[in-house]
Amino acid sequence: MRPSVVVNVAMSADGKLSTRERRQVKISGADDFARVDRLKAGCDAVMVGIGTVLADDPSLTVKNPDLKSRRQQEGKAEHPVRVIIDSRARISPDASVLNKGDGLRVVAVSGRADPGRVDVLRAKAAVIVAGDEEVDLARVLDELGAMGIRRLMVEGGGTLIAGLIRARLVNEIYTYVGSIVIGGKDSPTLADGPGWTQETEFARLVLADVTRMDDGILLHWTVKPQ
């Protein structure tokens, strides 16, 4: 059974996740940070693409001590399983996501990844080889489901999210829209890459909830099955 996939992003009022240099920008505030921490603590795993790791060096850990304690009381690790999609095994063994906090890490690579780099990663994480040129996301989700992961949070970036949407693997999307304009045709968005040209290819959403939060608004969408 594949896990249910929930995408969570913060974007500017013009739909950008960060600057064109991929520099991290504070878009939301304390209330949204706390919401994201709760969402993460309630998931079995959290996933990012290698671009996000290289740009931001996130740890993907749960921050609130009470949330970590609650997970432990439920017999879980303090932090969800951390999953990195990295076709060519570019992640550094010193990356925060591989070293900060307890819990399992999973790195998904493609068949073109350098075998030597993959061997180094195996000392830090479980490695899934899926796909020849690019990571086969459906196969990765099958593997995660076999590991008992039932709810998966995806925090970016736009290329990974677009791939998951293209493969029809996304169930929910949370978009926090902040009160800034970043601009730039090359700035990353929620769904990067070539996009879609036919309306039959578009992902169709249902607006489940709207909440004013910090200086912006939180939109909760569910994805219509296709």
Side-chain angles (χ1 to χ4, degrees), residues 27-61:
I27 295 175
S28 62
D31 289 346
D32 189 56
F33 290 157
R35 176 195 65 83
V36 173
D37 209 31
R38 291 192 299 271
L39 179 61
K40 186 179 300 176
C43 289
D44 301 307
V46 57
M47 174 185 285
V48 294
I50 183 59
T52 298
V53 174
L54 296 176
D56 301 338
D57 192 30
S59 65
L60 305 181
T61 53

Side-chain angles (χ1 to χ4, degrees), residues 18-24 51 55-56 159 186-189 192:
S18 66
T19 67
R20 66 177 183 272
E21 300 96 346
R22 270 46 179 182
R23 178 172 53 84
Q24 192 174 33
D56 301 338
T159 301
D186 296 322
S187 299
T189 65
D192 281 342

Side-chain angles (χ1 to χ4, degrees):
M1 177 186 291
R2 290 175 181 165
S4 175
V5 175
V6 53
V7 168
N8 183 82
V9 298
M11 63 173 63
S12 62
D14 57 325
K16 310 299 183 181
L17 305 186
S18 66
T19 67
R20 66 177 183 272
E21 300 96 346
R22 270 46 179 182
R23 178 172 53 84
Q24 192 174 33
V25 177
K26 182 181 178 182
I27 295 175
S28 62
D31 289 346
D32 189 56
F33 290 157
R35 176 195 65 83
V36 173
D37 209 31
R38 291 192 299 271
L39 179 61
K40 186 179 300 176
C43 289
D44 301 307
V46 57
M47 174 185 285
V48 294
I50 183 59
T52 298
V53 174
L54 296 176
D56 301 338
D57 192 30
S59 65
L60 305 181
T61 53
V62 176
K63 304 301 189 291
N64 187 303
D66 292 337
L67 294 175
K68 290 191 286 187
S69 177
R70 186 180 307 163
R71 285 182 58 86
Q72 289 183 311
Q73 291 171 8
E74 294 171 351
K76 303 174 182 177
E78 282 189 341
H79 311 288
V81 175
R82 282 160 277 175
V83 184
I84 303 94
I85 304 299
D86 184 9
S87 291
R88 290 179 287 162
R90 291 186 291 160
I91 189 171
S92 167
D94 298 324
S96 294
V97 69
L98 297 179
N99 293 281
K100 290 187 176 179
D102 68 349
L104 177 65
R105 280 80 163 177
V106 175
V107 179
V109 302
S110 70
R112 66 171 175 163
D114 179 83
R117 294 187 65 87
V118 172
D119 286 342
V120 171
L121 286 176
R122 292 188 193 278
K124 297 277 187 174
V127 176
I128 296 173
V129 181
D132 296 326
E133 294 296 319
E134 303 294 334
V135 172
D136 183 328
L137 296 172
R139 282 176 56 187
V140 172
L141 261 62
D142 286 339
E143 294 279 353
L144 295 178
M147 294 166 55
I149 292 170
R150 294 292 172 258
R151 185 164 170 81
L152 170 67
M153 176 182 179
V154 179
E155 287 207 291
T159 301
L160 172 59
I161 295 170
L164 289 165
I165 292 173
R166 184 176 298 108
R168 300 180 179 178
L169 298 171
V170 176
N171 302 99
E172 299 174 73
I173 301 175
Y174 285 92
T175 52
Y176 177 87
V177 183
S179 56
I180 58 173
V181 173
I182 294 175
K185 65 181 179 62
D186 296 322
S187 299
T189 65
L190 183 147
D192 281 342
W196 299 273
T197 58
Q198 303 298 319
E199 289 193 19
T200 54
E201 299 174 306
F202 298 166
R204 302 290 177 175
L205 310 179
V206 175
L207 186 60
D209 195 22
V210 180
T211 307
R212 291 191 64 161
M213 187 173 290
D214 297 319
D215 292 326
I217 190 166
L218 176 68
L219 306 175
H220 178 201
W221 308 90
T222 59
V223 182
K224 287 185 178 181
Q226 290 181 291

